Amino acid sequence: MRVLRNTLCAMALSLFTASAGNATALLEPTLHVKPQGVEGGGGGRVALTLDACGGKTDTRILSALVDNRIPATIFVTGIWLKRNAEAVEIMRAHPDLFELENHGGRHIPAVDTPRKIYGILSAGSPDAVQAEVESGAAALAGAGGPAPKWFRGATAEYSPSAIAMIRKLGFKIAGFSVNGDGGSLLGARETARRIGAAKDGDVIIAHINQPTHAAGEGVVQGLLALKQKGMTFVRLDDADGVGNDGTTD
């Protein structure tokens, strides 16, 4: 009986391993903007992208961007838009600083097979991925302003087939090259260090929807350090962003 049980357990483990091995690997695309180069003078240029997944607005970051005239691309969800009308109004009042782009309707990972990424359940099907992208665009349209051109899915991980679908819907996919705040889970010091170390052509990702997290303070410190170095900030719409995995070509 024990031999039979052990055999069945071994078969089950073998099937599970084979299934896991056959699962489509997810992609976390990178993105760079065209470097300023030595001939451009200054300290180079970087693109700051901030995710507004849900919840509230980190006014420490928003105020620092406005006060220091730092442009940023903000990826907003339909959820965040509904809850943060005052912040949206401030951003709309500064169209030279803020570019609002599509982070999905409900902050669901753009993965067309059922799985969890960082504890978040994926869209799970091609139709659900399309609904997430299109509902995010519709939410932005309802909030006024230009139609979005870029998309970044929740968790910034994608199945290859979802990338192809999103591109067919007309959106470029925003990867990144510097993970500034570790999903807003890092401390202020490490966040500031990561952002302050950005190089010419980097695209920084951080979050603007966690006002109680220490990472927000680090975002501000890192950005001011880059500004002091003479770094120029650009929005994705104003730069020649180049991503891998078919995300921008």
Side-chain angles (χ1 to χ4, degrees), residues 31-112:
L31 181 68
H32 289 84
V33 295
K34 185 178 180 180
Q36 187 177 54
V38 177
E39 66 278 5
R45 68 176 189 167
V46 297
L48 171 64
T49 68
L50 295 168
D51 288 0
C53 311
K56 298 182 179 180
T57 302
D58 192 330
T59 56
R60 295 171 298 181
I61 299 174
L62 182 57
S63 296
L65 297 178
V66 173
D67 293 344
N68 293 279
R69 307 296 298 166
I70 296 176
T73 302
I74 316 294
F75 283 89
V76 300
T77 65
I79 298 170
W80 185 87
L81 283 171
K82 289 179 180 178
R83 300 173 180 171
N84 293 272
E86 184 176 347
V88 174
E89 185 176 347
I90 293 171
M91 292 176 186
R92 293 298 194 203
H94 296 86
D96 55 327
L97 295 181
F98 299 108
E99 168 192 348
L100 271 59
E101 296 291 350
N102 186 357
H103 197 31
R106 297 189 295 142
H107 199 248
I108 299 172
V111 174
D112 52 15

Side-chain angles (χ1 to χ4, degrees), residues 16 19-20 22-26 108-129 158-159 161-162:
F16 173 80
S19 175
N22 290 331
T24 302
L26 299 184
I108 299 172
V111 174
D112 52 15
T113 55
R115 66 177 77 186
K116 283 189 176 181
I117 303 100
Y118 301 119
I120 303 176
L121 191 63
S122 68
S125 71
D127 287 346
V129 170
Y158 311 82
S159 51
S161 49

Side-chain angles (χ1 to χ4, degrees), residues 157-221:
E157 294 199 5
Y158 311 82
S159 51
S161 49
I163 288 176
M165 176 189 298
I166 295 164
R167 294 292 290 121
K168 286 182 180 178
L169 290 173
F171 293 94
K172 292 182 179 181
I173 298 172
F176 56 91
S177 59
V178 175
N179 185 340
D181 63 358
S184 193
L185 298 177
L186 295 177
R189 179 179 296 181
E190 176 62 12
T191 298
R193 185 195 69 78
R194 289 190 179 194
I195 293 177
K199 301 294 191 297
D200 190 13
D202 272 332
V203 174
I204 302 166
I205 184 176
H207 291 75
I208 195 170
N209 67 306
Q210 296 289 357
T212 64
H213 289 195
E217 178 186 344
V219 170
V220 173
Q221 293 172 355

